[in-house]
Amino acid sequence: METVSSPEEEALPEYGLEFDGSFRGLLPIVLVNLLLTIITLGLYRFWARTKVRKYLWSSVRLHGDAFEYTGTGKELFIGFLIVLFLVFLPMGFAFFQAQIMMETPGREAQGASLLFGAYMLMLYLYGVAYYRRNRYRLSRTRWRGIRGKQREGGYRYGFIHFMLTLVNFMLLGLASPLISNRLWEYESNRREFGTGRFSYKGRAGPLYKPFAIAVFLSLLLIAATVTLIIFVIAAVSGGGGATEWLQQSQANGPKGIYTIVAALFAGYFLVGLAVAAPVLWYQVRQLRHFWGHSRYEGFPLSFHGRFGDIFRLWLGNLGIFIATLGLGAPFMEMRWLRFLVEHTRISGFPALESIGQAEGADPSLGEGLAEGFDLGGI
Amino acid sequence: MWSGFFFDGVTAEAKPVQVSLTPATLEVSGLAPGQPASWNLSSLQLVARGNARMDLATGDHPQVRLRVDGADFADALKAAAPELWRPQWRRTGRIVGGLLAGAAVLVAALFYLPRVMVPLISASYAERIGAGVAAQVTTLFGGACNMLAGQAALEELAYGLADEAGLDHPIVIHVVDSRVVNALAAPGGHILVFDGLIQKANSPSEVAGVLAHEIGHVKYKHSLTSLSRSIGAQFILTSMMGGSFGDTSSVLLTTSFGRAAEAEADETAIRILNARGISSEPFAQFFDRLAKGDARTGSDKDDAATEQSNWLKMGNLLSTHPPSPERAALVREKGLVEGTSPMSDSEWRDLKAICETEDDVF
Ligand SMILES: [Zn+2]
């Protein structure tokens, strides 16, 4: 029922976001960042990231006016230091302690439960880190001087994420659509821009058909790829099969071992390539579902990206990653942002004078937790 | 005069304004009273540059924004306030300098850390750490050897040597079923002797020399120092580069305790050997042979290559205890030339056979 829109909504004009960032514009920033990050043994990365974000945010326009990123490297750095000493140092000690206890006769069980507890805490903190990262970014995003806001600090989100992940684990991942829908709903309904609120009223049900198709296709493609690999091995080893090929290669000494490693790597790569298509297809369906049932101040949002778009994006990013050995990550992020921005629209728009400045104080700290978890993204 | 839009930071409404430039300010006309009409050029911030438009902010009024249209505005502003376009090298330099200074402080702290940490670690906790490390290393290198007769012979020798060192806690001897030629001291008095070393030794005095050396490490807690230094280094590296914490127990296998610590252990070893009336000459000869073997194992691909060659290299005595002519010379200078054998012939045979069955006795 929720997909039906009223006639007056259909008559509303559609507004989109524009993106005018370019490789050429980003390149000097990335090069200088790279140099300074190397000089400082990696410590400059917080400022580097900030500069990239400033560029990317300013490349997005709505009604002709640019978005703005107001975060600073210092905030990210201090947030990271705090988390490093308050969370990751004690956690590192707990893991060390658990390791020792598990090797001490009579204390193995204690050690194992400490290790288990530490992993559970990590899982919980992962959700908190994700939420806080998004909250920080939104609070540092301005448009026409008005800033975004994510309500709550993420501890409750972390708990929900934790419980749902455990349930999903027990259900072998079958609850994935349900869980991502619930988490998106939770986050969306606490998202604001200025005094305007986002809301989400989507159900997980419609996601299950594409999810089932994607899982089925993935399994099929994995099976096909593995069969192909087995045939290739058989052909290479003269009909002998994998065991014989392994023996032959091992008999070749170190050179043969390298062959095995390279072949394994190629195999993983092929399987990854095969699974990418259904996964991306599902991802784009999910994006359309999520944004398609989201609203800003009651005005419906929509996402119009298609499988072809996301697949080209992914292939290009893979190419950039390989060609730059991962150093071109900001370019990959820019392509992602462009994809998201260019395909998101809103039907109608609230009266601009009705959107006031967000109330309350900004979160003062950066995304320390997310940094520790290596949560990537822009 | 350019036309543009003013955003007051209270609502998202755009207010049409006229913008002009003076040598020191940007003037906005058409504003309500109380709104900032005159912006210092030195306070300007460039938010974004688009096609024929420019988004500006001012540090004096953080909520307020201005968008100016017109392709020539950028040129006019560039002429009036060229520093807006200049990269802020001075600021970047301060950040980089600060970060490098911070990194230097961290590294200095890293070297000072063990001196603070090690005395704080209780003997029983060190013992537990050592037991964990010993168990992990033993598993990693192919298990424990525990033929009772050999173990008894080795322990009798080691305990006698340890008595001489005046330790305040007992030692524990582990024999590892591996061809690696090495021995190492884990925290809390745990000493690991690899079977490769026992097989390579020509006499009980040689083994006694190596044991006495490891007991020297135990006496001065070199292992704990090294461990806390390595963990600190890992922590600092992780925080600098990003990434996750790794395994800490293998650290002992790859890092040497340092020149000063080795000299300290050597001196203790000679003192113990002398007190026991054991000749130091075989110990010195062991160094000689290792130094020769150093050149040999580098290129040779004999039996060593087949057995986890990486671990062999890492676990080799050569890397953890760099042999040097000076060390052999010191042993010769201060140690006894003649001495009694610290073991009977039958005990020596038992020790050589310590790994001959793989049954777990315990
Ligand atoms: Zn040593």
Side-chain angles (χ1 to χ4, degrees):
Chain A
M1 281 303 282
E2 70 269 8
T3 50
V4 179
S5 51
S6 60
E8 60 264 35
E9 271 174 12
E10 273 168 24
L12 287 170
E14 275 207 333
Y15 300 99
L17 298 158
E18 300 151 49
F19 189 87
D20 61 4
S22 66
F23 274 69
R24 270 181 63 188
L26 186 56
L27 186 66
I29 297 170
V30 170
L31 288 180
V32 172
N33 279 347
L34 196 62
L35 181 77
L36 294 177
T37 306
I38 291 170
I39 290 176
T40 56
L41 303 171
L43 284 176
Y44 189 74
R45 66 179 182 280
F46 306 99
W47 286 266
R49 201 168 298 158
T50 299
K51 284 195 169 149
V52 169
R53 281 185 200 166
K54 277 192 189 295
Y55 177 77
L56 292 182
W57 263 237
S58 74
S59 305
V60 182
R61 286 177 182 271
L62 174 65
H63 295 335
D65 294 306
F67 279 83
E68 180 186 355
Y69 179 74
T70 57
T72 65
K74 195 169 144 193
E75 283 168 355
L76 289 182
F77 182 57
I78 291 175
F80 169 69
L81 282 185
I82 288 174
V83 167
L84 185 69
F85 283 99
L86 290 189
V87 179
F88 283 94
L89 192 62
M91 289 294 276
F93 180 73
F95 278 113
F96 179 72
Q97 179 69 17
Q99 239 181 5
I100 290 167
M101 280 163 80
M102 281 168 73
E103 301 286 354
T104 311
R107 302 190 63 176
E108 292 95 340
Q110 267 174 287
S113 32
L114 179 61
L115 194 67
F116 181 74
Y119 273 119
M120 289 297 110
L121 188 60
M122 291 282 273
L123 180 59
Y124 166 70
L125 288 175
Y126 185 89
V128 177
Y130 172 84
Y131 195 88
R132 289 182 81 80
R133 178 195 69 173
N134 289 356
R135 182 174 87 129
Y136 173 77
R137 287 182 194 175
L138 197 53
S139 75
R140 296 302 186 270
T141 302
R142 280 176 189 254
W143 178 75
R144 294 186 160 194
I146 303 293
R147 68 180 165 80
K149 183 181 170 189
Q150 184 78 41
R151 296 198 302 276
E152 293 187 5
Y155 300 107
R156 223 180 120 209
Y157 179 91
F159 180 70
I160 294 171
H161 172 269
F162 173 76
M163 295 307 284
L164 291 179
T165 306
L166 285 190
V167 169
N168 199 21
F169 182 73
M170 284 184 260
L171 293 172
L172 303 170
L174 285 178
S176 297
L178 203 73
I179 286 164
S180 29
N181 193 71
R182 172 73 188 110
L183 292 174
W184 177 268
E185 180 187 27
Y186 190 94
E187 199 185 350
S188 292
N189 287 336
R190 282 156 187 79
R191 190 183 290 145
E192 296 174 6
F193 203 89
T195 46
R197 296 191 167 205
F198 285 85
S199 59
Y200 177 69
K201 279 203 183 74
R203 295 172 164 281
L207 282 174
Y208 263 93
K209 199 172 143 198
F211 181 70
I213 294 172
V215 169
F216 177 72
L217 279 178
S218 299
L219 293 176
L220 202 70
L221 285 166
I222 290 174
T225 314
V226 170
T227 315
L228 184 77
I229 292 171
I230 289 171
F231 269 110
V232 170
I233 288 174
V236 169
S237 66
T243 343
E244 192 155 306
W245 173 73
L246 276 176
Q247 281 166 355
Q248 280 173 5
S249 304
Q250 271 170 334
N252 269 340
K255 216 173 162 188
I257 305 287
Y258 290 136
T259 319
I260 293 176
V261 172
L264 268 178
F265 196 75
Y268 275 125
F269 189 72
L270 277 179
V271 171
L273 217 57
V275 173
V279 168
L280 289 169
W281 177 76
Y282 177 69
Q283 211 177 343
V284 88
R285 290 294 291 254
Q286 186 173 271
L287 274 171
R288 291 163 77 111
H289 180 77
F290 282 170
W291 283 115
H293 295 88
S294 296
R295 283 164 184 260
Y296 176 64
E297 279 294 88
F299 292 89
L301 294 157
S302 55
F303 188 77
H304 301 270
R306 295 173 160 278
F307 171 67
D309 303 318
I310 200 172
F311 194 67
R312 268 196 302 279
L313 166 75
W314 181 79
L315 270 184
N317 277 5
L318 185 67
I320 292 173
F321 183 83
I322 292 171
T324 64
L325 301 171
L327 295 176
F331 297 108
M332 295 158 66
E333 286 158 4
M334 179 167 80
R335 288 166 51 90
W336 254 111
L337 185 66
R338 164 174 243 147
F339 168 73
L340 292 176
V341 155
E342 287 187 337
H343 293 105
T344 308
R345 280 176 217 159
I346 182 165
S347 300
F349 206 84
L352 289 160
E353 65 272 17
S354 74
I355 305 174
Q357 183 62 281
E359 283 163 19
D362 284 2
S364 55
L365 285 179
E367 335 166 330
L369 260 184
E371 165 73 22
F373 279 100
D374 213 7
L375 278 180
I378 301 147
Chain B
M1 263 313 201
W2 293 270
S3 60
F5 294 95
F6 175 81
F7 308 104
D8 59 8
V10 178
T11 73
E13 195 184 10
K15 187 175 178 56
V17 289
Q18 297 293 311
V19 175
S20 59
L21 286 169
T22 74
T25 59
L26 180 149
E27 299 294 329
V28 187
S29 57
L31 292 178
Q35 288 176 328
S38 185
W39 296 22
N40 265 325
L41 288 185
S42 59
S43 77
L44 279 190
Q45 292 158 5
L46 216 54
V47 172
R49 276 175 79 184
N51 239 341
R53 62 193 155 191
M54 188 160 265
D55 300 76
L56 295 168
T58 166
D60 298 337
H61 304 274
Q63 309 276 357
V64 159
R65 297 294 181 273
L66 183 68
R67 170 180 148 195
V68 189
D69 294 331
D72 54 339
F73 176 71
D75 296 325
L77 188 62
K78 205 169 190 170
E83 63 278 1
L84 254 181
W85 271 262
R86 234 172 264 150
Q88 295 167 303
W89 288 121
R90 190 170 296 179
R91 195 175 156 268
T92 307
R94 270 204 308 273
I95 292 168
V96 169
L99 289 177
L100 286 177
V105 169
L106 274 180
V107 172
L110 175 65
F111 278 93
Y112 191 67
L113 183 76
R115 264 187 246 176
V116 184
M117 291 259 300
V118 170
L120 293 178
I121 300 170
S122 75
S124 69
Y125 189 61
E127 203 280 326
R128 290 219 300 276
I129 296 177
V133 170
Q136 285 194 0
V137 173
T138 304
T139 316
L140 199 63
F141 278 86
C145 296
N146 35 34
M147 286 297 287
L148 284 178
Q151 182 77 21
L154 189 62
E155 279 175 356
E156 196 193 328
L157 171 63
Y159 294 161
L161 297 169
D163 279 346
E164 223 54 74
L167 300 182
D168 54 1
H169 56 85
I171 57 166
V172 186
I173 304 286
H174 308 259
V175 179
V176 185
D177 192 1
S178 162
R179 271 184 284 177
V180 167
V181 183
N182 202 358
L184 42 96
H190 287 266
I191 292 174
L192 291 100
V193 182
F194 291 70
D195 190 41
L197 184 133
I198 294 171
Q199 298 311 321
K200 222 169 186 178
N202 285 337
S203 70
S205 303
E206 249 181 70
V207 177
V210 173
L211 277 176
H213 173 88
E214 298 307 330
I215 288 166
H217 282 313
V218 169
K219 184 175 168 67
Y220 294 105
K221 298 182 177 170
H222 291 149
S223 183
L224 270 183
T225 308
S226 156
L227 199 64
S228 50
R229 190 165 285 157
S230 300
I231 291 172
Q234 215 173 21
F235 179 66
I236 286 173
L237 276 184
T238 307
S239 50
M240 277 169 127
M241 318 273 196
S244 55
F245 289 97
D247 177 34
T248 44
S249 67
S250 59
V251 149
L252 279 180
L253 294 165
T254 51
T255 28
S256 79
F257 294 154
R259 207 169 267 256
E262 292 307 328
E264 221 167 20
D266 281 343
E267 256 165 61
T268 313
I270 296 162
R271 196 165 54 71
I272 295 172
L273 293 175
N274 289 353
R276 285 254 130 190
I278 302 168
S279 165
S280 297
E281 182 55 26
F283 187 35
Q285 281 169 11
F286 187 66
F287 276 130
D288 296 342
R289 288 214 313 283
L290 273 175
K292 266 184 235 142
D294 188 10
R296 196 182 56 84
T297 49
S299 58
D300 247 33
K301 279 184 188 160
D302 56 357
D303 55 338
T306 53
E307 188 187 335
Q308 303 161 310
S309 62
N310 260 345
W311 279 114
L312 268 177
K313 257 179 242 151
M314 272 204 225
N316 205 296
L317 194 61
L318 300 174
S319 60
T320 43
H321 299 104
S324 65
E326 300 94 72
R327 287 181 68 183
L330 183 94
V331 171
R332 288 209 164 86
E333 183 196 319
K334 294 197 175 163
L336 300 174
V337 180
E338 298 290 325
T340 53
S341 174
M343 250 183 209
S344 72
D345 286 350
S346 72
E347 280 176 326
W348 180 234
R349 272 196 303 278
D350 288 339
L351 179 58
K352 282 276 185 185
I354 192 166
C355 289
E356 287 205 345
T357 49
E358 284 167 27
D359 292 347
D360 263 40
V361 177
F362 300 108

Coordinates of all heavy atoms in Angstrom, one line a residue, chain A residues 63 67 79 119 147 182 279 281 311 337:
Chain A
H63 N 19.3 23.1 -5.8 CA 18.8 24.5 -6.1 C 19.9 25.4 -6.5 O 19.8 26.6 -6.2 CB 17.9 25.1 -5.0 CG 16.7 24.3 -4.7 ND1 16.1 23.5 -5.6 CD2 16.0 24.2 -3.6 CE1 15.0 22.9 -5.1 NE2 14.9 23.3 -3.8
F67 N 26.7 22.2 -1.2 CA 26.8 21.7 0.2 C 28.2 22.1 0.7 O 29.1 22.4 -0.1 CB 26.6 20.2 0.2 CG 25.1 19.8 0.1 CD1 24.4 19.8 -1.1 CD2 24.5 19.5 1.3 CE1 23.1 19.4 -1.1 CE2 23.1 19.2 1.3 CZ 22.4 19.1 0.1
G79 N 39.2 12.8 18.2 CA 38.2 11.7 18.4 C 38.9 10.4 18.4 O 38.6 9.5 19.2
Y119 N 35.0 -10.1 21.9 CA 34.4 -10.0 20.5 C 33.0 -9.5 20.5 O 32.6 -8.7 19.6 CB 34.5 -11.4 19.9 CG 35.8 -11.8 19.3 CD1 36.6 -12.8 19.7 CD2 36.2 -11.0 18.2 CE1 37.8 -13.1 19.1 CE2 37.5 -11.2 17.6 CZ 38.2 -12.3 18.0 OH 39.4 -12.5 17.5
R147 N 22.5 23.2 8.9 CA 23.2 22.0 9.0 C 22.3 20.8 9.3 O 21.1 21.0 9.8 CB 24.3 22.1 10.1 CG 23.7 22.3 11.5 CD 24.9 22.4 12.5 NE 24.4 22.8 13.8 CZ 23.8 22.1 14.7 NH1 23.6 20.8 14.5 NH2 23.4 22.6 15.8
R182 N 15.1 -2.6 9.1 CA 14.9 -2.1 10.4 C 16.0 -1.0 10.8 O 15.6 0.0 11.4 CB 15.0 -3.3 11.4 CG 14.9 -2.9 12.9 CD 13.5 -2.4 13.3 NE 13.6 -1.8 14.7 CZ 13.4 -0.5 14.9 NH1 13.2 0.3 14.0 NH2 13.4 -0.1 16.2
V279 N 25.0 -9.3 -6.3 CA 25.1 -8.5 -5.1 C 24.8 -7.1 -5.4 O 24.0 -6.4 -4.7 CB 26.5 -8.7 -4.4 CG1 26.7 -7.6 -3.3 CG2 26.6 -10.1 -3.8
W281 N 23.2 -5.9 -8.0 CA 21.8 -5.9 -8.4 C 20.9 -5.7 -7.2 O 20.0 -4.9 -7.2 CB 21.4 -7.1 -9.2 CG 20.0 -7.1 -9.7 CD1 19.4 -6.4 -10.7 CD2 19.0 -7.9 -9.1 NE1 18.1 -6.7 -10.8 CE2 17.8 -7.6 -9.8 CE3 18.9 -8.8 -8.0 CZ2 16.6 -8.2 -9.5 CZ3 17.7 -9.4 -7.7 CH2 16.5 -9.1 -8.4
F311 N 26.8 -1.2 -11.8 CA 27.8 -2.2 -12.3 C 29.0 -1.5 -12.9 O 30.1 -1.8 -12.7 CB 27.2 -3.2 -13.2 CG 28.0 -4.4 -13.5 CD1 28.3 -5.3 -12.5 CD2 28.6 -4.6 -14.7 CE1 29.1 -6.4 -12.7 CE2 29.4 -5.7 -15.0 CZ 29.7 -6.6 -14.0
L337 N 29.8 8.7 -4.6 CA 29.0 9.9 -4.2 C 28.2 10.4 -5.4 O 27.0 10.7 -5.3 CB 29.9 11.0 -3.6 CG 29.2 12.2 -3.1 CD1 28.3 11.8 -1.9 CD2 30.1 13.3 -2.7

